[in-house]
Amino acid sequence: SDHTLHYPASPAEMDWSIHYPKYFPLRGTSENLDAGPSNSALISKKVEFADVGCGFGGLLMALAPLFPETLMLGLEIRVSVTQFVADKIAALRVQHQQLADGIIPEISVPEGGEAYLAAKEAAPGGYQNVSVIRANAMKFLPNFFEKGQLSKIFFLFPDPHFKARKHKARIISQTLLAEYAYVLRPGGIVYTITDVEDLHLWMVQHLEAFPLFERIADEELAKDVVVEHVRTATEEGKKVERKGGEKYLACYRRLDGPTRP
Ligand code: SAM
Protein backbone atom coordinates (compact mmCIF):
# COMPACT_ATOMS: atom_id res chain seq x y z
CA SER A 1 0.00 0.00 0.00
CA ASP A 2 0.86 3.68 0.00
CA HIS A 3 3.11 3.78 3.05
CA THR A 4 5.93 2.35 0.96
CA LEU A 5 5.63 5.13 -1.62
CA HIS A 6 7.93 8.12 -1.49
CA TYR A 7 6.96 11.56 -2.66
CA PRO A 8 9.13 14.61 -3.10
CA ALA A 9 8.12 17.45 -0.78
CA SER A 10 7.88 19.70 -3.85
CA PRO A 11 8.72 19.45 -7.59
CA ALA A 12 12.06 21.14 -6.91
CA GLU A 13 13.02 18.24 -4.63
CA MET A 14 12.52 15.73 -7.39
CA ASP A 15 15.79 14.25 -8.67
CA TRP A 16 15.12 13.80 -12.37
CA SER A 17 18.72 12.81 -13.12
CA ILE A 18 17.86 9.23 -12.14
CA HIS A 19 15.12 9.20 -14.75
CA TYR A 20 16.65 11.19 -17.58
CA PRO A 21 20.44 11.04 -17.14
CA LYS A 22 21.06 12.44 -20.63
CA TYR A 23 19.11 15.57 -19.77
CA PHE A 24 19.94 16.22 -16.13
CA PRO A 25 23.39 16.37 -14.54
CA LEU A 26 23.80 14.08 -11.57
CA ARG A 27 23.08 15.89 -8.34
CA GLY A 28 25.95 16.87 -6.14
CA THR A 29 28.73 16.33 -8.66
CA SER A 30 30.94 19.39 -8.93
CA GLU A 31 31.97 18.77 -12.52
CA ASN A 32 28.41 19.35 -13.60
CA LEU A 33 27.92 22.60 -11.75
CA ASP A 34 29.83 24.74 -14.24
CA ALA A 35 29.48 22.66 -17.34
CA GLY A 36 28.54 25.68 -19.44
CA PRO A 37 25.47 27.18 -21.04
CA SER A 38 24.25 24.04 -22.74
CA ASN A 39 24.02 22.46 -19.33
CA SER A 40 21.77 25.13 -17.87
CA ALA A 41 19.55 24.72 -20.91
CA LEU A 42 19.30 21.04 -20.09
CA ILE A 43 18.46 21.69 -16.47
CA SER A 44 15.46 23.77 -17.49
CA LYS A 45 13.97 20.76 -19.23
CA LYS A 46 10.81 19.45 -17.63
CA VAL A 47 8.52 16.48 -17.94
CA GLU A 48 5.67 17.48 -20.24
CA PHE A 49 3.65 14.32 -20.82
CA ALA A 50 2.26 12.20 -17.98
CA ASP A 51 0.66 8.80 -18.59
CA VAL A 52 -1.43 8.09 -15.52
CA GLY A 53 -1.73 4.37 -14.78
CA CYS A 54 0.60 3.64 -17.68
CA GLY A 55 0.44 -0.15 -17.19
CA PHE A 56 3.06 -1.85 -19.35
CA GLY A 57 4.00 1.42 -21.02
CA GLY A 58 2.90 0.86 -24.62
CA LEU A 59 1.87 4.48 -25.13
CA LEU A 60 5.15 5.85 -23.80
CA MET A 61 7.21 3.55 -26.03
CA ALA A 62 5.19 4.69 -29.05
CA LEU A 63 5.41 8.40 -28.25
CA ALA A 64 9.08 8.55 -27.16
CA PRO A 65 10.55 8.43 -30.71
CA LEU A 66 7.75 10.65 -32.06
CA PHE A 67 8.59 13.47 -29.61
CA PRO A 68 12.31 12.87 -29.06
CA GLU A 69 12.83 16.23 -27.34
CA THR A 70 9.88 15.93 -24.98
CA LEU A 71 10.30 14.33 -21.58
CA MET A 72 7.51 11.92 -20.72
CA LEU A 73 6.73 9.96 -17.58
CA GLY A 74 4.51 7.02 -16.76
CA LEU A 75 2.93 6.84 -13.30
CA GLU A 76 2.03 3.35 -12.20
CA ILE A 77 0.98 2.05 -8.80
CA ARG A 78 1.85 -1.65 -9.20
CA VAL A 79 5.43 -2.47 -8.20
CA SER A 80 6.06 -5.32 -10.65
CA VAL A 81 4.47 -3.45 -13.57
CA THR A 82 6.54 -0.33 -12.84
CA GLN A 83 9.68 -2.48 -12.73
CA PHE A 84 8.74 -4.12 -16.03
CA VAL A 85 8.46 -0.70 -17.70
CA ALA A 86 11.70 0.53 -16.14
CA ASP A 87 13.54 -2.60 -17.37
CA LYS A 88 12.06 -2.22 -20.83
CA ILE A 89 13.19 1.41 -21.06
CA ALA A 90 16.69 0.48 -19.86
CA ALA A 91 16.93 -2.27 -22.49
CA LEU A 92 15.69 0.01 -25.27
CA ARG A 93 18.21 2.68 -24.28
CA VAL A 94 21.08 0.20 -24.48
CA GLN A 95 19.88 -1.26 -27.77
CA HIS A 96 19.45 2.16 -29.36
CA GLN A 97 22.78 3.42 -28.08
CA GLN A 98 24.40 0.40 -29.71
CA LEU A 99 22.55 1.07 -32.94
CA ALA A 100 23.60 4.72 -32.83
CA ASP A 101 27.21 3.63 -32.26
CA GLY A 102 27.02 1.25 -35.21
CA ILE A 103 27.10 -1.83 -33.03
CA ILE A 104 24.26 -3.98 -34.25
CA PRO A 105 22.70 -5.87 -31.36
CA GLU A 106 21.09 -9.19 -31.95
CA ILE A 107 17.72 -8.54 -33.54
CA SER A 108 15.00 -10.85 -32.33
CA VAL A 109 12.42 -10.17 -35.03
CA PRO A 110 12.16 -12.02 -38.37
CA GLU A 111 14.37 -10.57 -41.08
CA GLY A 112 12.81 -8.46 -43.82
CA GLY A 113 9.67 -7.35 -42.00
CA GLU A 114 8.76 -3.85 -40.93
CA ALA A 115 9.65 -4.57 -37.29
CA TYR A 116 13.07 -5.81 -38.41
CA LEU A 117 13.80 -2.63 -40.33
CA ALA A 118 12.57 -0.52 -37.42
CA ALA A 119 14.76 -2.45 -34.98
CA LYS A 120 17.80 -1.88 -37.20
CA GLU A 121 17.38 1.89 -36.98
CA ALA A 122 18.09 3.78 -33.79
CA ALA A 123 14.90 5.55 -32.74
CA PRO A 124 15.17 9.36 -32.52
CA GLY A 125 15.90 10.24 -28.93
CA GLY A 126 17.05 6.70 -28.13
CA TYR A 127 14.36 6.45 -25.40
CA GLN A 128 16.33 8.87 -23.22
CA ASN A 129 13.21 11.02 -22.96
CA VAL A 130 10.97 8.42 -21.35
CA SER A 131 10.76 7.11 -17.80
CA VAL A 132 8.40 5.61 -15.25
CA ILE A 133 7.76 6.18 -11.60
CA ARG A 134 5.89 4.16 -9.04
CA ALA A 135 3.26 6.45 -7.60
CA ASN A 136 -0.34 6.70 -6.63
CA ALA A 137 -1.41 9.33 -9.15
CA MET A 138 -4.46 10.10 -7.03
CA LYS A 139 -2.19 11.55 -4.39
CA PHE A 140 0.41 14.31 -4.40
CA LEU A 141 0.56 14.91 -8.15
CA PRO A 142 1.48 18.58 -7.45
CA ASN A 143 4.47 17.26 -5.48
CA PHE A 144 5.91 15.91 -8.74
CA PHE A 145 4.83 18.57 -11.21
CA GLU A 146 4.77 22.34 -11.02
CA LYS A 147 1.80 24.42 -11.91
CA GLY A 148 1.33 24.40 -15.69
CA GLN A 149 4.23 22.03 -16.30
CA LEU A 150 2.40 19.41 -18.36
CA SER A 151 1.16 19.75 -21.92
CA LYS A 152 -0.50 16.33 -22.09
CA ILE A 153 -1.96 13.99 -19.52
CA PHE A 154 -3.25 10.54 -20.44
CA PHE A 155 -5.87 8.33 -18.80
CA LEU A 156 -5.95 5.26 -21.02
CA PHE A 157 -8.31 2.44 -20.13
CA PRO A 158 -8.34 3.28 -16.43
CA ASP A 159 -9.70 0.77 -13.93
CA PRO A 160 -13.51 0.99 -14.22
CA HIS A 161 -14.48 0.44 -10.55
CA PHE A 162 -17.97 -0.63 -11.58
CA LYS A 163 -19.77 -0.67 -8.26
CA ALA A 164 -21.29 2.62 -7.08
CA ARG A 165 -19.54 2.39 -3.71
CA LYS A 166 -16.23 2.08 -5.60
CA HIS A 167 -16.78 5.17 -7.76
CA LYS A 168 -14.71 7.27 -5.38
CA ALA A 169 -11.72 5.19 -6.46
CA ARG A 170 -12.10 6.38 -10.05
CA ILE A 171 -9.14 8.34 -11.39
CA ILE A 172 -11.36 11.19 -12.61
CA SER A 173 -13.30 13.11 -9.98
CA GLN A 174 -14.06 16.73 -9.22
CA THR A 175 -11.25 16.94 -6.66
CA LEU A 176 -8.70 15.22 -8.86
CA LEU A 177 -9.65 17.34 -11.88
CA ALA A 178 -8.58 20.40 -9.90
CA GLU A 179 -5.14 18.78 -9.53
CA TYR A 180 -4.96 17.82 -13.17
CA ALA A 181 -5.93 21.38 -14.15
CA TYR A 182 -3.23 22.70 -11.85
CA VAL A 183 -0.38 20.69 -13.37
CA LEU A 184 -1.61 21.17 -16.96
CA ARG A 185 -0.77 24.37 -18.79
CA PRO A 186 -3.50 26.34 -20.55
CA GLY A 187 -3.89 24.72 -23.96
CA GLY A 188 -2.72 21.37 -22.55
CA ILE A 189 -4.77 18.28 -23.34
CA VAL A 190 -6.38 15.54 -21.24
CA TYR A 191 -6.81 12.31 -23.22
CA THR A 192 -9.27 9.73 -21.93
CA ILE A 193 -10.22 6.44 -23.51
CA THR A 194 -12.05 3.38 -22.20
CA ASP A 195 -14.04 0.41 -23.42
CA VAL A 196 -16.47 0.80 -20.51
CA GLU A 197 -19.30 3.07 -21.62
CA ASP A 198 -20.42 3.82 -18.06
CA LEU A 199 -16.91 5.01 -17.15
CA HIS A 200 -16.70 7.05 -20.35
CA LEU A 201 -19.96 8.83 -19.46
CA TRP A 202 -18.66 9.39 -15.93
CA MET A 203 -15.40 10.96 -17.16
CA VAL A 204 -17.25 13.13 -19.70
CA GLN A 205 -19.77 14.23 -17.08
CA HIS A 206 -17.03 15.31 -14.67
CA LEU A 207 -14.89 17.00 -17.30
CA GLU A 208 -17.93 18.84 -18.72
CA ALA A 209 -18.85 20.07 -15.26
CA PHE A 210 -15.36 21.41 -14.64
CA PRO A 211 -15.09 25.01 -15.85
CA LEU A 212 -11.42 24.78 -16.92
CA PHE A 213 -11.89 22.03 -19.51
CA GLU A 214 -13.36 22.21 -23.00
CA ARG A 215 -14.07 19.17 -25.17
CA ILE A 216 -12.01 18.88 -28.35
CA ALA A 217 -14.05 18.23 -31.48
CA ASP A 218 -13.58 15.01 -33.47
CA GLU A 219 -12.37 16.90 -36.57
CA GLU A 220 -9.54 18.40 -34.56
CA LEU A 221 -8.69 15.07 -32.92
CA ALA A 222 -8.45 13.47 -36.36
CA LYS A 223 -5.43 15.72 -36.99
CA ASP A 224 -3.72 14.93 -33.67
CA VAL A 225 -0.92 12.38 -34.28
CA VAL A 226 -1.14 11.20 -30.69
CA VAL A 227 -4.73 9.96 -30.94
CA GLU A 228 -4.10 6.82 -33.00
CA HIS A 229 -1.54 5.74 -30.37
CA VAL A 230 -4.00 6.51 -27.59
CA ARG A 231 -6.37 4.09 -29.31
CA THR A 232 -3.93 1.32 -30.19
CA ALA A 233 -0.52 1.53 -28.48
CA THR A 234 -1.32 0.25 -24.99
CA GLU A 235 -1.68 -3.33 -23.88
CA GLU A 236 -5.24 -2.70 -22.74
CA GLY A 237 -6.10 -1.02 -26.05
CA LYS A 238 -4.78 -4.06 -27.92
CA LYS A 239 -6.77 -6.39 -25.68
CA VAL A 240 -9.98 -4.48 -26.42
CA GLU A 241 -9.12 -4.66 -30.13
CA ARG A 242 -8.71 -8.46 -29.98
CA LYS A 243 -12.09 -8.79 -28.28
CA GLY A 244 -13.64 -6.49 -30.88
CA GLY A 245 -14.75 -4.11 -28.12
CA GLU A 246 -15.86 -0.50 -28.50
CA LYS A 247 -13.44 2.30 -27.57
CA TYR A 248 -14.82 5.56 -26.22
CA LEU A 249 -12.44 8.52 -26.64
CA ALA A 250 -12.91 11.94 -25.04
CA CYS A 251 -10.25 14.66 -25.04
CA TYR A 252 -10.37 18.02 -23.34
CA ARG A 253 -8.35 21.19 -23.60
CA ARG A 254 -7.31 22.99 -20.46
CA LEU A 255 -8.58 26.56 -20.73
CA ASP A 256 -6.86 29.66 -19.41
CA GLY A 257 -7.88 30.35 -15.84
CA PRO A 258 -6.78 30.23 -12.25
CA THR A 259 -6.47 27.08 -10.20
CA ARG A 260 -5.05 25.93 -6.91
CA PRO A 261 -3.47 22.57 -6.03
N1 SAM B 1 -3.04 2.53 -19.43
C1 SAM B 1 -2.65 1.15 -19.51
C2 SAM B 1 -3.18 0.53 -20.77
O1 SAM B 1 -3.97 1.17 -21.47
O2 SAM B 1 -2.78 -0.61 -21.05
C3 SAM B 1 -3.08 0.35 -18.28
C4 SAM B 1 -4.55 0.21 -18.06
S1 SAM B 1 -4.93 -0.75 -16.59
C5 SAM B 1 -6.58 -1.22 -16.81
C6 SAM B 1 -4.99 0.48 -15.33
C7 SAM B 1 -3.63 0.73 -14.71
O3 SAM B 1 -3.70 1.82 -13.80
C8 SAM B 1 -3.11 -0.45 -13.95
O4 SAM B 1 -1.81 -0.75 -14.39
C9 SAM B 1 -3.12 0.02 -12.49
O5 SAM B 1 -2.11 -0.57 -11.71
C10 SAM B 1 -2.92 1.50 -12.66
N2 SAM B 1 -3.44 2.34 -11.56
C11 SAM B 1 -4.62 2.21 -10.94
N3 SAM B 1 -4.77 3.17 -10.01
C12 SAM B 1 -3.65 3.93 -10.04
C13 SAM B 1 -3.21 5.05 -9.30
N4 SAM B 1 -3.95 5.60 -8.34
N5 SAM B 1 -2.00 5.58 -9.60
C14 SAM B 1 -1.23 5.02 -10.56
N6 SAM B 1 -1.61 3.96 -11.28
C15 SAM B 1 -2.79 3.40 -11.04
Side-chain angles (χ1 to χ4, degrees):
S1 69
D2 280 0
H3 62 266
T4 56
L5 288 164
H6 299 286
Y7 299 95
S10 75
E13 305 276 292
M14 190 62 202
D15 182 3
W16 293 111
S17 66
I18 301 160
H19 290 278
Y20 309 100
K22 272 263 162 83
Y23 290 97
F24 294 86
L26 286 171
R27 286 206 167 177
T29 55
S30 57
E31 82 226 55
N32 285 309
L33 292 178
D34 53 5
S38 60
N39 207 17
S40 54
L42 292 179
I43 296 169
S44 67
K45 213 148 173 85
K46 286 175 184 159
V47 171
E48 285 184 55
F49 295 178
D51 185 1
V52 173
C54 68
F56 294 95
L59 179 81
L60 295 165
M61 306 309 160
L63 295 188
L66 282 181
F67 299 86
E69 293 302 320
T70 302
L71 299 189
M72 45 192 86
L73 185 72
L75 299 129
E76 173 51 55
I77 201 164
R78 284 183 289 170
V79 180
S80 59
V81 177
T82 310
Q83 193 56 51
F84 174 91
V85 178
D87 291 348
K88 187 163 172 180
I89 294 168
L92 283 167
R93 283 181 180 175
V94 170
Q95 183 190 355
H96 286 265
Q97 189 57 53
Q98 290 176 338
L99 286 164
D101 293 343
I103 307 162
I104 307 298
E106 203 177 302
I107 292 171
S108 59
V109 287
E111 202 164 328
E114 207 177 298
Y116 178 81
L117 294 174
K120 273 182 69 179
E121 291 240 353
Y127 297 93
Q128 295 292 337
N129 58 328
V130 59
S131 193
V132 68
I133 208 163
R134 185 174 168 242
N136 182 346
M138 294 170 81
K139 292 184 177 178
F140 310 121
L141 215 55
N143 291 51
F144 291 102
F145 307 119
E146 288 168 18
K147 179 179 177 180
Q149 177 172 341
L150 301 179
S151 62
K152 296 186 192 299
I153 186 163
F154 299 95
F155 300 95
L156 309 192
F157 304 97
D159 292 330
H161 298 293
F162 287 107
K163 296 200 179 96
R165 67 180 170 81
K166 286 283 210 167
H167 284 175
K168 59 182 182 299
R170 286 180 166 174
I171 202 89
I172 299 269
S173 70
Q174 222 53 11
T175 320
L176 289 169
L177 281 177
E179 291 205 351
Y180 305 146
Y182 176 83
V183 294
L184 261 184
R185 71 186 58 151
I189 300 176
V190 176
Y191 295 82
T192 76
I193 192 164
T194 175
D195 58 322
V196 179
E197 188 176 17
D198 175 53
L199 176 62
H200 168 67
L201 296 173
W202 165 281
M203 293 194 288
V204 165
Q205 180 205 322
H206 283 81
L207 280 151
E208 293 288 338
F210 202 91
L212 286 174
F213 291 108
E214 166 191 79
R215 183 130 187 201
I216 301 175
D218 291 346
E219 307 83 71
E220 191 182 334
L221 289 179
K223 290 181 248 155
D224 183 340
V225 292
V226 163
V227 167
E228 64 162 297
H229 300 287
V230 163
R231 287 186 184 280
T232 60
T234 68
E235 288 60 28
E236 205 57 37
K238 290 187 202 306
K239 203 196 280 178
V240 175
E241 204 121 323
R242 285 195 296 272
K243 289 191 301 190
E246 186 76 43
K247 293 179 188 176
Y248 304 94
L249 175 79
C251 305
Y252 284 77
R253 180 174 292 108
R254 201 264 195 224
L255 300 171
D256 219 340
T259 174
R260 293 184 288 119

